[in-house]
Amino acid sequence: MEKIISILGSTGSIGTQSLTVCKKMGYRVKAITAHSNWKLMEEQIRQFNPEKAVLTDMEAAQKLKEAVSDTATTVLSGMDGVLEVASDPQQDTVINALMGVAGLKPTVCAIEAGNNVALANKETLVAGGKLVTELVKKKGVLLTPIDSEHSAIFQCLQGNESKSVKRLIITASGGPFYGKTRSELAGIKKEQALKHPNWSMGAKITIDSSTLMNKGLEFIEAMWLFSMPPEKIDVVVHPQSIIHSMVEYVDGSVMAQMGAPDMMIPIQYALTWPHRYESPAKHLDLLSCGDLTFKKPDTETFTCLADCIEAAKRGGLYPCVLNGANEEAVSLFLQDKIGYLDLFDAVRQALDHFDLGDYNSVEEVLEADRKAREFVRETFTR
Ligand code: NDP
Ligand code: MG
């Protein structure tokens, strides 16, 4: 089936895999955006001939413009360019594979223009889930999950009534430091935290996976995507990452979605739902994947998960602030400006520091995000 797609964050881990899926499916890639990686974007332009390519970094955009002046692609710069791409109504689906809350406005613009959104950018739902899901309903567009756990839940819900769902069970690999105590985590360097046992991903989500913050963000993402209260969502550690998540029904049946840990599967399903096609992804070999095991997450050491659940229960701007504090803390950790344990403390202290209400606009969300980042910078760097 012919489809027209734009990819926000085309040079990232999800973005590059999305291009592979589009190529295999024969979809037309209308526009691509990234931050500064103009060299990779030049290659992507030559391969996919998009109408537009955007870099938010001005200098990089200028370099790209010169590099591709022999092509028909128009190069734009800045966040305005990203919003222009997201708002183009002449397309089927916008894939949002941006990193962080920077993805919120583009998601909103895409939906407002009547586009379907295939969403990898979980921070969008964590920070502004209420606005996004209301807008999806109002505009009657599709919001399909790319995050593997949410794709799994989405797949396990097919053909069943949502009123018969007892609970969602999100699986977590546990990350590279599962089993460690808080004191053992103290000296962890970014090189260690950047090694994920099962998935190859961008730096921010890899750090989040090591602290279990990623699982906390996914908990909140699941609440919005599937209209579930926090009481009906559980997290279980499953180190092999073969079962990507489960849905338990009132009759005791548990549906699980399994597969090789390969993001190409959820990316493709987010674009082809309700249909399935051959995929370039690896296939699961049950006889070589070993024993499947399940354990309780250690939320006393990996406090980010418990803090996310608390923020989810408090509601309003709390998840946004917690996400903003984490984004800032991860960025500082990646620059060697704070220690590993500060990642946990930044999230907890942001939750304790702010007294927050509800929100009704993107601006309010972004303002709360800004304050959370400022709080973390002021508290943790001197
Ligand atoms: P990457 O860091 O690999 O890629 C991020 C992309 O967004 C790059 O194209 C980058 O451009 C661009 N970008 C980053 N910051 C900005 C900004 N401020 N403005 C505009 N563009 C920006 O991330 P991932 O692909 O790993 O993750 C993307 C999203 O998907 C995240 O929300 C993550 O949580 C989610 N996700 C990722 C999974 C994975 O397997 N990687 C799995 C499930 C969810 P440039 O390259 O030029 O910097
Ligand atoms: Mg995930």
Side-chain angles (χ1 to χ4, degrees), residues 120-133:
N121 178 245
K122 63 192 82 183
E123 296 89 347
T124 279
L125 285 177
V126 172
K130 186 180 84 165
L131 294 176
V132 172
T133 49

Side-chain angles (χ1 to χ4, degrees), residues 8-15 17 33-38 55-56 79 82 96-100 102 120-123 146-149 199-205 208 214 218 263:
L8 315 182
S10 67
T11 55
S13 160
I14 294 292
Q17 296 179 83
T33 86
H35 176 56
S36 62
N37 191 348
W38 66 272
L55 287 174
T56 43
M79 201 23 111
V82 179
N96 187 342
L98 295 173
M99 190 277 282
N121 178 245
K122 63 192 82 183
E123 296 89 347
I146 286 182
D147 210 347
S148 58
E149 293 77 2
W199 300 94
S200 160
M201 311 178 285
K204 193 253 175 186
I205 184 178
D208 285 351
N214 182 51
E218 291 182 352
M263 288 308 296

Side-chain angles (χ1 to χ4, degrees), residues 145-163:
I146 286 182
D147 210 347
S148 58
E149 293 77 2
H150 305 76
S151 175
I153 291 168
F154 183 53
Q155 294 182 54
C156 294
L157 289 169
Q158 299 300 310
N160 291 289
E161 289 172 316
S162 51
K163 67 172 194 228

Side-chain angles (χ1 to χ4, degrees), residues 51-215:
E51 272 172 27
K52 287 179 186 159
V54 185
L55 287 174
T56 43
D57 182 279
M58 301 292 169
E59 265 178 49
Q62 190 51 40
K63 284 189 184 137
L64 180 67
K65 207 172 202 169
E66 287 159 22
V68 299
S69 59
D70 59 321
T71 70
T73 300
T74 306
V75 175
L76 304 172
S77 62
M79 201 23 111
D80 287 351
V82 179
L83 300 183
E84 185 178 321
V85 164
S87 312
D88 178 355
Q90 309 296 324
Q91 55 189 339
D92 297 289
T93 304
V94 174
I95 298 178
N96 187 342
L98 295 173
M99 190 277 282
V101 80
L104 177 59
K105 264 193 185 169
T107 302
V108 167
C109 286
I111 301 168
E112 270 173 349
N115 295 317
N116 296 326
V117 175
L119 191 70
N121 178 245
K122 63 192 82 183
E123 296 89 347
T124 279
L125 285 177
V126 172
K130 186 180 84 165
L131 294 176
V132 172
T133 49
E134 279 173 4
L135 205 54
V136 164
K137 278 199 202 106
K138 187 171 151 209
K139 290 285 173 181
V141 300
L142 274 176
L143 179 69
T144 46
I146 286 182
D147 210 347
S148 58
E149 293 77 2
H150 305 76
S151 175
I153 291 168
F154 183 53
Q155 294 182 54
C156 294
L157 289 169
Q158 299 300 310
N160 291 289
E161 289 172 316
S162 51
K163 67 172 194 228
S164 56
V165 173
K166 187 162 166 45
R167 62 179 177 140
L168 308 180
I169 306 164
I170 301 178
T171 54
S173 72
F177 308 132
Y178 184 80
K180 287 203 189 300
T181 60
R182 184 169 162 100
S183 60
E184 287 169 336
L185 294 176
I188 297 282
K189 294 282 167 243
K190 69 179 179 207
E191 291 73 19
Q192 297 163 277
L194 282 170
K195 282 196 194 110
H196 193 276
N198 303 337
W199 300 94
S200 160
M201 311 178 285
K204 193 253 175 186
I205 184 178
T206 307
I207 300 296
D208 285 351
S209 299
S210 79
T211 58
L212 288 201
M213 183 69 191
N214 182 51
K215 216 42 63 180

